[in-house]
Short mmCIF file of all heavy atoms in Angstrom, two decimals:
data_model
loop_
_atom_site.label_atom_id
_atom_site.label_comp_id
_atom_site.label_asym_id
_atom_site.label_seq_id
_atom_site.Cartn_x
_atom_site.Cartn_y
_atom_site.Cartn_z
N LEU N 297 -78.95 -82.24 -33.06
CA LEU N 297 -78.36 -82.23 -31.74
C LEU N 297 -77.48 -80.99 -31.58
O LEU N 297 -76.80 -80.57 -32.50
CB LEU N 297 -77.51 -83.49 -31.53
CG LEU N 297 -78.29 -84.80 -31.50
CD1 LEU N 297 -77.32 -85.95 -31.32
CD2 LEU N 297 -79.32 -84.80 -30.39
N PRO N 298 -77.48 -80.39 -30.41
CA PRO N 298 -76.68 -79.20 -30.18
C PRO N 298 -75.20 -79.54 -30.14
O PRO N 298 -74.80 -80.67 -29.92
CB PRO N 298 -77.17 -78.71 -28.81
CG PRO N 298 -77.62 -79.95 -28.13
CD PRO N 298 -78.21 -80.82 -29.22
N GLU N 299 -74.38 -78.54 -30.31
CA GLU N 299 -72.96 -78.75 -30.36
C GLU N 299 -72.28 -77.66 -29.54
O GLU N 299 -72.71 -76.50 -29.56
CB GLU N 299 -72.45 -78.70 -31.81
CG GLU N 299 -73.09 -79.77 -32.68
CD GLU N 299 -72.87 -79.51 -34.14
OE1 GLU N 299 -72.75 -78.33 -34.52
OE2 GLU N 299 -72.79 -80.47 -34.91
N ARG N 300 -71.26 -78.03 -28.83
CA ARG N 300 -70.54 -77.05 -28.05
C ARG N 300 -69.68 -76.21 -28.97
O ARG N 300 -68.97 -76.72 -29.82
CB ARG N 300 -69.67 -77.76 -27.00
CG ARG N 300 -68.83 -76.81 -26.19
CD ARG N 300 -68.19 -77.52 -25.02
NE ARG N 300 -69.20 -78.02 -24.12
CZ ARG N 300 -68.91 -78.75 -23.05
NH1 ARG N 300 -67.68 -79.07 -22.78
NH2 ARG N 300 -69.87 -79.19 -22.27
N GLN N 301 -69.74 -74.91 -28.80
CA GLN N 301 -69.03 -74.01 -29.68
C GLN N 301 -67.70 -73.62 -29.06
O GLN N 301 -67.55 -73.53 -27.84
CB GLN N 301 -69.87 -72.77 -29.96
CG GLN N 301 -71.16 -73.06 -30.72
CD GLN N 301 -72.02 -71.84 -30.85
OE1 GLN N 301 -71.95 -70.93 -30.05
NE2 GLN N 301 -72.85 -71.82 -31.88
N ALA N 302 -66.72 -73.39 -29.93
CA ALA N 302 -65.41 -72.94 -29.47
C ALA N 302 -65.46 -71.47 -29.12
O ALA N 302 -66.32 -70.72 -29.58
CB ALA N 302 -64.37 -73.20 -30.56
N SER N 303 -64.53 -71.03 -28.31
CA SER N 303 -64.46 -69.63 -27.90
C SER N 303 -63.07 -69.10 -28.23
O SER N 303 -62.09 -69.84 -28.29
CB SER N 303 -64.74 -69.48 -26.40
OG SER N 303 -63.83 -70.26 -25.64
N ALA N 304 -63.00 -67.77 -28.44
CA ALA N 304 -61.74 -67.15 -28.80
C ALA N 304 -60.79 -67.14 -27.60
O ALA N 304 -61.21 -67.06 -26.44
CB ALA N 304 -61.98 -65.72 -29.29
N ALA N 305 -59.52 -67.21 -27.89
CA ALA N 305 -58.50 -67.20 -26.84
C ALA N 305 -58.23 -65.77 -26.39
O ALA N 305 -58.61 -64.79 -27.06
CB ALA N 305 -57.21 -67.84 -27.35
N ARG N 306 -57.58 -65.65 -25.25
CA ARG N 306 -57.16 -64.32 -24.80
C ARG N 306 -56.04 -63.82 -25.70
O ARG N 306 -55.32 -64.61 -26.33
CB ARG N 306 -56.69 -64.37 -23.35
CG ARG N 306 -55.42 -65.16 -23.12
CD ARG N 306 -55.07 -65.22 -21.63
NE ARG N 306 -53.75 -65.76 -21.41
CZ ARG N 306 -53.45 -67.04 -21.37
NH1 ARG N 306 -54.41 -67.94 -21.54
NH2 ARG N 306 -52.21 -67.44 -21.18
N TYR N 307 -55.86 -62.51 -25.75
CA TYR N 307 -54.91 -61.94 -26.70
C TYR N 307 -53.47 -62.31 -26.33
O TYR N 307 -52.63 -62.49 -27.21
CB TYR N 307 -55.04 -60.42 -26.74
CG TYR N 307 -54.17 -59.77 -27.78
CD1 TYR N 307 -54.51 -59.82 -29.13
CD2 TYR N 307 -52.97 -59.15 -27.43
CE1 TYR N 307 -53.70 -59.26 -30.09
CE2 TYR N 307 -52.15 -58.58 -28.39
CZ TYR N 307 -52.52 -58.63 -29.72
OH TYR N 307 -51.72 -58.08 -30.68
N SER N 308 -53.20 -62.47 -25.04
CA SER N 308 -51.83 -62.76 -24.61
C SER N 308 -51.49 -64.24 -24.67
O SER N 308 -50.42 -64.64 -24.22
CB SER N 308 -51.62 -62.26 -23.17
OG SER N 308 -52.53 -62.91 -22.29
N LYS N 309 -52.39 -65.07 -25.20
CA LYS N 309 -52.11 -66.51 -25.27
C LYS N 309 -50.84 -66.75 -26.08
O LYS N 309 -50.68 -66.20 -27.18
CB LYS N 309 -53.29 -67.24 -25.92
CG LYS N 309 -53.10 -68.76 -25.98
CD LYS N 309 -54.31 -69.41 -26.62
CE LYS N 309 -54.11 -70.92 -26.73
NZ LYS N 309 -54.04 -71.55 -25.39
N PRO N 310 -49.93 -67.56 -25.56
CA PRO N 310 -48.70 -67.84 -26.32
C PRO N 310 -49.02 -68.46 -27.68
O PRO N 310 -49.86 -69.33 -27.80
CB PRO N 310 -47.95 -68.83 -25.41
CG PRO N 310 -48.50 -68.59 -24.05
CD PRO N 310 -49.93 -68.21 -24.24
N ARG N 311 -48.31 -67.99 -28.71
CA ARG N 311 -48.51 -68.49 -30.06
C ARG N 311 -47.74 -69.78 -30.26
O ARG N 311 -46.50 -69.79 -30.15
CB ARG N 311 -48.06 -67.46 -31.08
CG ARG N 311 -49.07 -66.43 -31.54
CD ARG N 311 -49.83 -65.75 -30.44
NE ARG N 311 -50.62 -64.62 -30.96
CZ ARG N 311 -51.45 -63.91 -30.23
NH1 ARG N 311 -51.63 -64.22 -28.94
NH2 ARG N 311 -52.12 -62.91 -30.74
N ALA N 312 -48.49 -70.87 -30.55
CA ALA N 312 -47.82 -72.14 -30.82
C ALA N 312 -47.09 -72.10 -32.16
O ALA N 312 -46.11 -72.82 -32.36
CB ALA N 312 -48.83 -73.28 -30.80
N ILE N 313 -47.59 -71.30 -33.08
CA ILE N 313 -46.96 -71.13 -34.38
C ILE N 313 -46.45 -69.70 -34.48
O ILE N 313 -47.22 -68.74 -34.37
CB ILE N 313 -47.94 -71.41 -35.53
CG1 ILE N 313 -48.46 -72.85 -35.45
CG2 ILE N 313 -47.29 -71.17 -36.88
CD1 ILE N 313 -49.50 -73.18 -36.50
N VAL N 314 -45.15 -69.55 -34.65
CA VAL N 314 -44.55 -68.22 -34.79
C VAL N 314 -44.61 -67.84 -36.26
O VAL N 314 -44.02 -68.51 -37.11
CB VAL N 314 -43.10 -68.21 -34.27
CG1 VAL N 314 -42.50 -66.82 -34.44
CG2 VAL N 314 -43.05 -68.65 -32.82
N ALA N 315 -45.36 -66.80 -36.54
CA ALA N 315 -45.54 -66.39 -37.94
C ALA N 315 -45.08 -64.95 -38.12
O ALA N 315 -44.95 -64.18 -37.16
CB ALA N 315 -47.01 -66.52 -38.35
N SER N 316 -44.81 -64.61 -39.36
CA SER N 316 -44.40 -63.26 -39.72
C SER N 316 -45.18 -62.82 -40.92
O SER N 316 -45.71 -63.64 -41.69
CB SER N 316 -42.88 -63.21 -40.01
OG SER N 316 -42.14 -63.63 -38.89
N ALA N 317 -45.27 -61.52 -41.09
CA ALA N 317 -45.99 -60.95 -42.23
C ALA N 317 -45.34 -59.63 -42.60
O ALA N 317 -44.90 -58.87 -41.73
CB ALA N 317 -47.46 -60.75 -41.90
N GLU N 318 -45.28 -59.36 -43.88
CA GLU N 318 -44.71 -58.11 -44.36
C GLU N 318 -45.25 -57.82 -45.75
O GLU N 318 -45.70 -58.72 -46.47
CB GLU N 318 -43.18 -58.21 -44.42
CG GLU N 318 -42.67 -59.22 -45.43
CD GLU N 318 -41.17 -59.34 -45.48
OE1 GLU N 318 -40.52 -58.68 -44.65
OE2 GLU N 318 -40.65 -60.07 -46.34
N ARG N 319 -45.22 -56.54 -46.09
CA ARG N 319 -45.62 -56.16 -47.44
C ARG N 319 -44.46 -56.40 -48.39
O ARG N 319 -43.29 -56.16 -48.06
CB ARG N 319 -46.05 -54.69 -47.48
CG ARG N 319 -46.55 -54.27 -48.86
CD ARG N 319 -47.22 -52.94 -48.85
NE ARG N 319 -47.69 -52.59 -50.19
CZ ARG N 319 -48.39 -51.50 -50.48
NH1 ARG N 319 -48.71 -50.64 -49.50
NH2 ARG N 319 -48.79 -51.27 -51.72
N VAL N 320 -44.78 -56.87 -49.58
CA VAL N 320 -43.78 -57.23 -50.57
C VAL N 320 -43.42 -56.02 -51.41
O VAL N 320 -44.31 -55.33 -51.95
CB VAL N 320 -44.28 -58.38 -51.47
CG1 VAL N 320 -43.26 -58.68 -52.56
CG2 VAL N 320 -44.54 -59.61 -50.63
N ASP N 321 -42.12 -55.75 -51.51
CA ASP N 321 -41.61 -54.70 -52.39
C ASP N 321 -41.24 -55.36 -53.72
O ASP N 321 -40.29 -56.14 -53.80
CB ASP N 321 -40.39 -54.03 -51.75
CG ASP N 321 -39.88 -52.86 -52.58
OD1 ASP N 321 -40.49 -52.58 -53.64
OD2 ASP N 321 -38.89 -52.23 -52.17
N LEU N 322 -42.00 -55.07 -54.74
CA LEU N 322 -41.79 -55.74 -56.03
C LEU N 322 -40.44 -55.39 -56.66
O LEU N 322 -39.96 -56.12 -57.53
CB LEU N 322 -42.92 -55.36 -57.01
CG LEU N 322 -44.31 -55.89 -56.65
CD1 LEU N 322 -45.32 -55.45 -57.68
CD2 LEU N 322 -44.30 -57.41 -56.53
N ASP N 323 -39.81 -54.31 -56.23
CA ASP N 323 -38.51 -53.94 -56.81
C ASP N 323 -37.38 -54.85 -56.34
O ASP N 323 -36.38 -55.02 -57.05
CB ASP N 323 -38.18 -52.48 -56.46
CG ASP N 323 -39.15 -51.50 -57.12
OD1 ASP N 323 -39.68 -51.84 -58.19
OD2 ASP N 323 -39.39 -50.43 -56.54
N THR N 324 -37.52 -55.44 -55.16
CA THR N 324 -36.45 -56.29 -54.62
C THR N 324 -36.89 -57.71 -54.34
O THR N 324 -36.05 -58.59 -54.15
CB THR N 324 -35.92 -55.67 -53.31
OG1 THR N 324 -37.00 -55.58 -52.37
CG2 THR N 324 -35.35 -54.28 -53.55
N ALA N 325 -38.20 -57.97 -54.31
CA ALA N 325 -38.68 -59.30 -53.92
C ALA N 325 -38.24 -60.36 -54.91
O ALA N 325 -37.95 -61.50 -54.52
CB ALA N 325 -40.20 -59.28 -53.80
N TRP N 326 -38.18 -60.04 -56.20
CA TRP N 326 -37.83 -61.06 -57.18
C TRP N 326 -36.41 -61.56 -56.98
O TRP N 326 -36.11 -62.73 -57.22
CB TRP N 326 -38.00 -60.51 -58.60
CG TRP N 326 -37.01 -59.43 -58.97
CD1 TRP N 326 -37.12 -58.10 -58.75
CD2 TRP N 326 -35.77 -59.63 -59.65
NE1 TRP N 326 -36.02 -57.44 -59.23
CE2 TRP N 326 -35.17 -58.35 -59.80
CE3 TRP N 326 -35.09 -60.75 -60.13
CZ2 TRP N 326 -33.93 -58.18 -60.40
CZ3 TRP N 326 -33.86 -60.57 -60.74
CH2 TRP N 326 -33.30 -59.29 -60.88
#
């Protein structure tokens, strides 16, 4: 049976989950 596929959201869609990302500096991260 066929299935309805999801579609990508627009880029400006409000983020329900506020996330952050950064590169880890091994000299200070510990």
Side-chain angles (χ1 to χ4, degrees):
L297 294 178
E299 300 166 330
R300 177 169 297 176
Q301 296 174 334
S303 57
R306 67 183 190 277
Y307 185 76
S308 60
K309 182 179 178 66
R311 271 49 170 175
I313 300 177
V314 179
S316 301
E318 65 181 5
R319 183 168 181 176
V320 176
D321 184 0
L322 293 180
D323 294 331
T324 60
W326 68 273

